[in-house]
Amino acid sequence: MVDNIFLQISVLLGLTVSIAFVIRLLRQPLMIAYIIAGIIAGPLFLNVISSGHGSFDAFAELGVVLLLFVVGLSLNFSYIKKVGRVAMIAGVGQVLFTATFGWLILNALGFNGIHSLYLAIAMTFSSTIIIIKLLSDKKDLETVYGRYTIGLLLVQDLIAIFIMIMIKTTGLGDSLVTSISSLFIKGVIVASIVYFLAKVVLPPLLNRVAKSAEFLFLFTVAWCFGIASLVHWFGFGLEIGAVIAGISLGSSPYSLEISSRIKPLRDFFIVIFFIILGSQLGVANIPDIIVPGLILSAFILIGNPLILYILFRLTKFTRRNSLLIGSTAAQVSEFGFILLFTGQQAGIVSTNDITIFTMVALITIFISSYTISYNEKLYKVLKPILSIFGKDSRQQKEDKEKTYDVIVIGYHRIGWKICETLVNSKKTFAVVDYNPEVIKSLKGRGIHAYFGDVADVEFLNELPLKKAKLIISTIPEADDQITLIRHIRKENKQKPYIIGNLFHSAQVEDLYAAGADYVMMPHLLGGHWIADIVTKKPWTKRTFGTLKREQKKEMTLRFSTQQNK
């Protein structure tokens, strides 16, 4: 066994990469590779991470915070209001039904009252981390079923916090009413502080910070951990704090850039989380736990999706969306471990109970990663069976994805003139720029604008490029444009026309090789323009006076557009 934390991480990553190669060849979700790597690296086989385990736990917790922070970035208060009622009904209903049926099954298996109650409650909640990670990988977070799934998970998390309050209150002998009142007051204080910071302090700060990509990244990480720690200090848990930190930045014009900068850091730490999860499989009392573990796993894999399917059908969702939402909940949550460990400290829960839950967690997480990843195929398989009940009369409209005829990359120098021409045309367009002042000015004029760096592929994935007919890049950097063009040619099936821009001819062929349809070269275009003037216009004072006046008028127009006209 390796004791050095650096060598432990090296061994873990090497093992994970090796398994991931095989998993990718089999076209399976990478999460499976992480869990298998954890099982092999854990005490069951190599025992690589038994020492220094606290460090790995800290890494895993960082991954959880960053994952939920990115989720919060995609949320806003109007969205929460929209999904809140249905999510509350489905969340409370699912918790009650799962806990009740789970308790009955556990009693039938011979578990005593308090043991079965703890295990039943522990199995009630779905894993926010796993579901969001898989939906994010599928780019389904912005779909109807993805949005309501997030709402459902937030309701579950709130119920989980409430249950933990009751458990701690019982242990401390405090009044439940007193504890809930205290928590409500703390919640109001936290909400007020975060709202004030988000509305008053953040906007002017971000306008200054966003001028430097490095500073924006540093500030964002500090904000995420700071708000999460503040909320945790008030007794709400780091997970809720991370979501709140993300929501507070979600309405910022820099949210896409922030998200793209955070995602690589998030992915590294979340890999550690799943490795730790896999390493928790033990060998104690395997013969005693295998039967109840398999029965409870079957209940979670079949019962939870069925319960949610029925609940969402009752709230007038389509069969497709009801099934897709139900398919996400076929696993147990990390909260279950917290609940059981709390019960073990109180002398109520046994080691055998925790081992059973660990087995259920690994089985359900392993299988549910497939049901989530391939839920559309699962629906197609089950559609003929569901059609027996007749035609589905219910419909949900997917939120319309923003589409533009033209995307202009870079507003400075050349782009502003293109935009002014497009404003007067009937073509829809949006601007992408890395200058916060330009973004503010354009949004003030009602022009759609996105703040971010086109050299960042994660940021490009968030842009509405898929249905654009024409993309015009006015930025001078050849390498950034090659990255942009290659990404568009790979991801965009519509095959838009792409116009690039270079001040020097050295890399023109590189842009054409990447897929550009035409490359502007300002000095050549300027030469063509003046050549046209001297050949088609008379060489008179009037000619050049007219050109001079037109130039001054255009310069005035350019200045006024950049002053938030």
Side-chain angles (χ1 to χ4, degrees):
M1 183 183 67
V2 183
D3 290 328
N4 184 286
I5 184 67
F6 180 81
L7 293 178
Q8 286 178 336
I9 293 175
S10 300
V11 171
L12 277 178
L13 293 179
L15 178 64
T16 305
V17 168
S18 302
I19 296 171
F21 269 115
V22 178
I23 293 296
R24 290 300 291 170
L25 288 175
L26 297 174
R27 298 180 180 274
Q28 306 307 317
L30 278 178
M31 187 184 296
I32 301 299
Y34 308 151
I35 295 173
I36 293 174
I39 293 172
I40 295 173
L44 195 60
F45 292 102
L46 301 181
N47 198 24
V48 173
I49 57 177
S50 62
S51 64
H53 200 70
S55 300
F56 286 106
D57 285 342
F59 292 157
E61 194 165 44
L62 287 175
V64 172
V65 169
L66 291 171
L67 176 70
L68 295 175
F69 173 71
V70 173
V71 171
L73 282 171
S74 64
L75 303 178
N76 54 57
F77 291 105
S78 61
Y79 156 74
I80 293 172
K81 182 180 179 181
K82 180 180 177 181
V83 305
R85 185 185 67 85
V86 174
M88 182 64 70
I89 293 171
V92 173
Q94 182 265 327
V95 167
L96 291 174
F97 278 109
T98 304
T100 301
F101 285 111
W103 181 77
L104 292 173
I105 291 171
L106 286 163
N107 274 275
L109 289 171
F111 286 79
N112 65 36
I114 193 67
H115 283 249
S116 60
L117 180 62
Y118 260 85
L119 269 174
I121 294 174
M123 292 188 303
T124 295
F125 304 98
S126 305
S127 176
T128 301
I129 299 162
I130 291 165
I131 293 172
I132 288 175
K133 177 68 170 65
L134 289 170
L135 291 182
S136 176
D137 290 344
K138 291 182 64 185
K139 297 180 172 56
D140 276 0
L141 287 175
E142 296 301 317
T143 61
V144 167
Y145 94 88
R147 287 176 178 272
Y148 280 90
T149 297
I150 295 174
L152 173 72
L153 294 172
L154 291 176
V155 171
Q156 285 190 353
D157 287 343
L158 290 173
I159 296 173
I161 292 170
F162 179 74
I163 291 173
M164 287 303 298
I165 291 169
M166 289 196 297
I167 291 172
K168 291 179 180 179
T169 300
T170 304
L172 295 172
D174 293 336
S175 165
L176 181 60
V177 175
T178 302
S179 297
I180 294 175
S181 301
S182 174
L183 193 71
F184 176 77
I185 294 170
K186 290 179 180 178
V188 172
I189 294 172
V190 169
S192 301
I193 293 172
V194 174
Y195 185 82
F196 172 78
L197 292 174
K199 293 295 183 181
V200 178
V201 179
L202 264 183
L205 263 181
L206 282 176
N207 288 338
R208 292 180 177 274
V209 168
K211 294 179 180 180
S212 166
E214 186 177 350
F215 193 14
L216 179 63
F217 172 77
L218 180 62
F219 177 84
T220 300
V221 174
W223 176 264
C224 169
F225 291 153
I227 296 297
S229 298
L230 173 68
V231 175
H232 178 65
W233 184 67
F234 274 90
F236 288 93
L238 285 173
E239 293 83 359
I240 296 295
V243 174
I244 291 173
I247 291 173
S248 65
L249 288 172
S251 59
S252 163
Y254 316 117
S255 59
L256 290 182
E257 174 69 8
I258 290 170
S259 178
S260 69
R261 295 282 178 182
I262 292 293
K263 282 179 179 177
L265 184 66
R266 172 207 69 181
D267 289 341
F268 170 76
F269 286 114
I270 208 67
V271 167
I272 301 295
F273 170 83
F274 289 116
I275 291 173
I276 294 296
L277 186 65
S279 72
Q280 292 175 344
L281 180 65
V283 294
N285 303 321
I286 289 292
D288 297 333
I289 69 168
I290 192 152
V291 172
L294 291 174
I295 292 173
L296 293 173
S297 297
F299 167 64
I300 296 299
L301 291 167
I302 299 171
N304 262 5
L306 182 60
I307 289 167
L308 282 175
Y309 176 82
I310 293 171
L311 288 170
F312 275 94
R313 285 294 288 166
L314 291 173
T315 51
K316 299 182 180 181
F317 272 62
T318 62
R319 288 172 184 156
R320 175 183 173 274
N321 281 329
S322 299
L323 183 70
L324 296 182
I325 294 171
S327 68
T328 64
Q331 79 288 119
V332 295
S333 170
E334 56 283 349
F335 168 73
F337 286 104
I338 299 172
L339 176 64
L340 292 177
F341 288 142
T342 303
Q344 187 182 41
Q345 291 172 356
I348 300 171
V349 175
S350 67
T351 303
N352 203 46
D353 296 333
I354 295 176
T355 307
I356 290 173
F357 186 81
T358 303
M359 179 181 177
V360 172
L362 292 173
I363 291 173
T364 56
I365 289 169
F366 193 92
I367 296 176
S368 69
S369 65
Y370 289 96
T371 63
I372 297 173
S373 298
Y374 302 106
N375 54 11
E376 290 283 1
K377 292 182 179 179
L378 179 63
Y379 171 69
K380 289 179 181 179
V381 171
L382 296 176
K383 188 176 180 180
I385 300 173
L386 298 174
S387 298
I388 295 173
F389 300 97
K391 186 179 179 181
D392 193 354
S393 59
R394 297 164 186 171
Q395 293 293 328
Q396 273 94 43
K397 291 183 179 180
E398 293 285 347
D399 294 338
K400 287 185 178 180
E401 183 181 358
K402 290 182 180 178
T403 58
Y404 304 98
D405 295 321
V406 184
I407 303 291
V408 180
I409 313 291
Y411 185 78
H412 185 57
R413 293 181 182 275
I414 301 173
W416 76 273
K417 183 62 177 176
I418 298 170
C419 291
E420 293 306 312
T421 303
L422 290 171
V423 166
N424 297 322
S425 73
K426 294 183 179 180
K427 302 293 183 183
T428 58
F429 76 98
V431 179
V432 180
D433 202 281
Y434 202 60
N435 186 333
E437 293 177 1
V438 166
I439 298 297
K440 182 180 178 181
S441 173
L442 291 171
K443 291 202 172 209
R445 298 176 60 201
I447 296 174
H448 297 282
Y450 296 86
F451 173 85
D453 184 1
V454 294
D456 184 351
V457 175
E458 289 284 353
F459 172 68
L460 293 177
N461 284 327
E462 303 295 332
L463 292 176
L465 298 172
K466 291 183 180 179
K467 295 186 179 180
K469 298 174 183 176
L470 176 64
I471 296 172
I472 304 173
S473 170
T474 71
I475 60 177
E477 294 83 4
D479 291 342
D480 291 352
Q481 291 185 87
I482 290 171
T483 299
L484 169 70
I485 295 167
R486 285 176 176 171
H487 176 82
I488 294 169
R489 291 302 182 212
K490 179 182 177 183
E491 300 294 332
N492 195 329
K493 296 180 181 179
Q494 302 291 330
K495 303 297 181 187
Y497 294 107
I498 302 176
I499 299 175
N501 176 59
L502 286 176
F503 290 138
H504 303 286
S505 60
Q507 291 184 287
V508 170
E509 292 304 321
D510 293 335
L511 262 66
Y512 281 125
D517 292 291
Y518 180 69
V519 179
M520 297 184 291
M521 300 189 70
H523 63 286
L524 291 179
L525 294 175
H528 285 305
W529 181 83
I530 197 66
D532 191 60
I533 291 295
V534 298
T535 55
K536 296 183 179 180
K537 299 280 186 181
W539 299 358
T540 63
K541 194 159 188 154
R542 181 178 179 181
T543 295
F544 293 106
T546 301
L547 292 174
K548 183 178 178 181
R549 285 192 298 273
E550 289 176 353
Q551 184 186 61
K552 287 184 175 180
K553 184 177 179 181
E554 287 201 357
M555 293 298 293
T556 303
L557 175 64
R558 176 179 177 233
F559 178 78
S560 64
T561 58
Q562 294 187 1
Q563 292 299 316
N564 197 11
K565 186 172 70 176

